[in-house]
Amino acid sequence: MTLDPISLRTAFGSYMTGVTVVTAMSPDSVPVGFTANSFTSVSLDPPLLLVCPAKRLSSYDLFHTCTRFAVNILADDQAAISTLFASRTEDRFGQVNWAQDAWGSPLIEGATAQFSCRVHNRVEAGDHDILIGEVLDFDSNDKPGLGYASGGYFSRSLEHKAQTGVATEMEKRFVGGIISYGDQLLLTPTETGLRLPHFRVPARTSALDTLTHALDGTGIEIGAVYSIYTDTKADRSYTFYRGTAPSVEVANLGRFLPLGSVPQALTGPMAERTIIERYILESQNQQFGLYVGDDEYGDLHPVHPVQKGS
């Protein structure tokens, strides 16, 4: 049986991992590195870890022959560094702060953990090498690590904000869904017109648990957090998740409208229209960001694809 490599890659990518940048110094003292989520702790005695550089890497020959390397586990505010080292950009080290360890390998500043290694073993395995390193020294801190799954980054600290809510008054928290079926989105009728489906979050309850309970029995699959914002005029906080419906029949939640007509149909807060306008743009290439802020100002945390061992 022949396996479809694209489908296989997608299946592999469903496993949630951290993100690392693996680095080494060339014989002529040029730093090199690549982004990888193929990182595993192997042993405590002796202290061993492994990474898997791809044979297609421009720096593959160096990692295939090096005797020293380092692994930098990126913090959740270092997605841009992950993207940089997954690209073919020249002089990548000129765009980050770094220093050499005692053996000359580059360590990226701000990482949540750093491991200085010497090569313990190297095994060729298909289109990758399995590079096993003995840990000579390490450093770590309590910064949350950058996560990766299904083609995008996620942040533990941002996920925590989404589940606990951003408002201080528990009774003013709401959770909602941007629920799609094909190229249609679900809208719910309210006293003031059509709005995105949303529900009040009870005290001592997480936003995600509330949404899961509200959608129980509909077959709707809840996806990633899409927007966390405070409505400053109403003094309420909203957390919206993306979701997919199995059909247009979803109990009494509302009705589906073509994606392009949703912004004009919405009659709720302007923030909801802004959310959908951004969703329309991002759905064109299936790369979604995460907005954290209020109904006027905030930060959009981009989600960039990153390839294993690239």
Side-chain angles (χ1 to χ4, degrees):
M1 180 178 67
T2 301
L3 300 178
D4 175 42
I6 296 178
S7 298
L8 181 60
R9 186 186 188 94
T10 300
F12 281 155
S14 64
Y15 181 66
M16 292 183 290
T17 70
V19 183
T20 72
V21 171
V22 184
T23 59
M25 190 69 73
S26 73
D28 53 352
S29 299
V30 176
V32 297
F34 66 95
T35 298
N37 57 351
S38 54
F39 163 84
T40 304
S41 59
V42 175
S43 170
L44 292 177
D45 186 17
L48 302 176
L49 57 75
L50 69 79
V51 292
C52 298
K55 293 183 177 179
R56 66 176 179 275
L57 285 172
S58 59
S59 56
Y60 169 75
D61 289 342
L62 175 60
F63 284 100
H64 186 63
T65 57
C66 68
T67 59
R68 299 280 193 275
F69 67 95
V71 178
N72 303 269
I73 298 180
L74 298 185
D76 70 353
D77 60 355
Q78 293 183 309
I81 293 178
S82 172
T83 301
L84 175 65
F85 280 87
S87 72
R88 297 185 179 276
T89 303
E90 298 293 332
D91 190 24
R92 285 173 278 188
F93 282 88
Q95 302 181 48
V96 299
N97 295 321
W98 63 281
Q100 290 179 272
D101 65 13
W103 298 270
S105 298
L107 299 177
I108 295 175
E109 293 184 12
T112 190
Q114 303 162 322
F115 301 91
S116 298
C117 305
R118 66 182 170 202
V119 174
H120 176 80
N121 197 6
R122 184 182 283 109
V123 180
E124 290 194 52
D127 54 10
H128 284 64
D129 275 3
I130 300 174
L131 183 59
I132 302 174
E134 179 183 356
V135 179
L136 302 175
D137 195 13
F138 73 97
D139 187 34
S140 64
N141 54 59
D142 58 0
K143 294 178 66 175
L146 179 65
Y148 178 76
S150 300
Y153 300 126
F154 64 90
S155 160
R156 285 193 303 162
S157 60
L158 292 178
E159 293 288 333
H160 178 71
K161 282 184 180 180
Q163 293 195 24
T164 59
V166 295
T168 57
E169 296 184 49
M170 302 287 284
E171 68 275 11
K172 293 186 177 181
R173 291 191 296 138
F174 290 81
V175 62
I178 303 170
I179 300 169
S180 64
Y181 176 73
D183 58 355
Q184 302 179 76
L185 282 186
L186 178 66
L187 295 185
T188 297
T190 69
E191 294 180 356
T192 58
L194 293 175
R195 292 190 59 181
L196 294 174
H198 60 282
F199 311 91
R200 185 184 295 273
V201 180
R204 301 182 182 85
T205 306
S206 76
L208 182 57
D209 286 346
T210 299
L211 185 62
T212 300
H213 179 74
L215 300 181
D216 185 41
T218 65
I220 292 174
E221 181 178 345
I222 302 172
V225 183
Y226 190 69
S227 182
I228 309 169
Y229 77 94
T230 301
D231 184 336
T232 56
K233 297 179 179 63
D235 193 23
R236 295 177 175 180
S237 72
Y238 290 86
T239 300
F240 279 95
Y241 287 79
R242 290 189 287 120
T244 54
S247 71
V248 295
E249 302 297 331
V250 284
N252 298 316
L253 290 177
R255 59 190 176 95
F256 284 89
L257 293 180
L259 182 58
S261 66
V262 170
Q264 292 74 32
L266 287 169
T267 57
M270 180 59 67
E272 290 188 18
R273 181 177 298 182
T274 302
I275 288 173
I276 296 305
E277 289 174 346
R278 176 167 67 90
Y279 179 87
I280 291 173
L281 291 175
E282 295 180 340
S283 64
Q284 294 173 1
N285 57 13
Q286 292 296 297
Q287 292 189 9
F288 299 101
L290 169 59
Y291 176 86
V292 180
D294 59 32
D295 46 0
E296 295 184 359
Y297 303 102
D299 295 318
L300 181 61
H301 300 262
V303 175
H304 301 290
V306 58
Q307 297 181 350
K308 285 180 177 285
S310 61

XYZ file of all heavy atoms in Angstrom, residues 5 7 58 61 79 84 122 131 144 148 161-162 184 198 209 215 218 310:
140
model
N 1.838 11.072 1.024
C 2.742 11.810 1.919
C 2.132 13.068 2.513
O 2.453 13.456 3.636
C 3.939 12.143 1.012
C 3.408 12.063 -0.384
C 2.344 11.014 -0.353
N -1.132 13.569 3.252
C -2.038 13.144 4.320
C -1.265 12.644 5.534
O -1.649 12.899 6.685
C -2.980 12.048 3.808
O -3.785 12.527 2.757
N 19.734 23.191 3.964
C 20.955 23.746 3.387
C 22.151 23.508 4.299
O 23.296 23.441 3.843
C 20.785 25.251 3.124
O 20.480 25.935 4.340
N 24.762 19.115 5.709
C 26.113 18.549 5.746
C 26.811 18.861 7.065
O 27.531 18.020 7.610
C 26.940 19.080 4.574
C 26.489 18.496 3.239
O 25.794 17.459 3.265
O 26.820 19.083 2.197
N 7.519 33.217 18.347
C 7.041 32.632 17.095
C 7.771 33.215 15.892
O 8.038 32.518 14.907
C 5.533 32.846 16.965
N 11.546 32.672 11.329
C 12.813 33.108 10.741
C 13.717 31.925 10.432
O 14.268 31.812 9.325
C 13.509 34.075 11.703
C 14.909 34.552 11.317
C 14.858 35.393 10.054
C 15.544 35.321 12.469
N 24.531 9.098 15.740
C 23.849 9.662 14.571
C 23.365 8.500 13.710
O 24.147 7.611 13.374
C 24.818 10.557 13.784
C 24.207 11.280 12.613
C 25.254 12.093 11.869
N 25.603 13.338 12.537
C 26.751 13.564 13.140
N 27.680 12.610 13.199
N 27.004 14.732 13.711
N 19.710 12.635 15.227
C 20.907 13.159 15.856
C 20.720 13.099 17.371
O 19.912 13.833 17.936
C 21.153 14.594 15.395
C 22.412 15.305 15.891
C 23.663 14.531 15.483
C 22.462 16.728 15.361
N 6.511 30.291 29.573
C 5.750 29.279 28.828
C 6.403 29.019 27.472
O 6.918 29.932 26.823
C 4.364 29.920 28.668
C 4.298 30.992 29.702
C 5.697 31.487 29.873
N 2.980 23.950 19.022
C 2.722 23.777 17.596
C 1.852 22.548 17.381
O 2.099 21.489 17.964
C 4.034 23.612 16.827
C 3.845 23.381 15.351
C 3.502 24.416 14.511
C 3.999 22.104 14.808
C 3.317 24.205 13.154
C 3.817 21.883 13.460
C 3.487 22.937 12.640
O 3.289 22.722 11.294
N -5.593 32.444 29.178
C -6.434 33.630 29.178
C -7.802 33.319 28.583
O -8.833 33.787 29.062
C -5.788 34.746 28.359
C -4.677 35.484 29.054
C -4.203 36.630 28.175
C -3.088 37.411 28.833
N -2.633 38.530 27.960
N -7.806 32.532 27.516
C -9.062 32.231 26.843
C -10.001 31.439 27.738
O -11.209 31.659 27.733
C -8.790 31.441 25.567
N -20.145 28.770 4.658
C -21.217 29.472 5.358
C -20.872 29.585 6.846
O -20.142 28.758 7.386
C -22.545 28.734 5.199
C -22.993 28.538 3.756
C -24.303 27.770 3.708
O -25.375 28.304 3.976
N -24.219 26.495 3.361
N -23.321 33.164 21.020
C -22.515 33.425 22.207
C -23.338 33.112 23.453
O -24.575 33.129 23.421
C -22.017 34.874 22.241
C -23.126 35.885 22.262
N -23.844 36.237 21.152
C -23.635 36.623 23.290
C -24.748 37.146 21.468
N -24.648 37.401 22.763
N -15.397 25.262 28.733
C -16.391 24.336 29.284
C -17.808 24.831 28.994
O -18.704 24.036 28.689
C -16.197 24.183 30.790
C -14.990 23.333 31.140
O -14.468 22.657 30.233
O -14.549 23.360 32.308
N -22.933 23.590 23.205
C -22.985 22.957 21.881
C -23.140 21.444 21.967
O -23.117 20.765 20.941
C -21.718 23.306 21.090
C -21.474 24.803 20.838
C -20.203 24.989 20.032
C -22.667 25.446 20.135
N -24.907 18.863 19.290
C -25.057 19.455 17.955
C -24.096 18.850 16.939
O -24.286 19.010 15.738
C -24.802 20.969 18.005
O -23.435 21.207 18.368
C -25.724 21.640 19.012
N 12.732 21.450 9.243
C 13.113 22.313 8.142
C 13.844 23.529 8.659
O 13.847 23.826 9.824
C 11.877 22.747 7.369
O 10.988 23.467 8.181
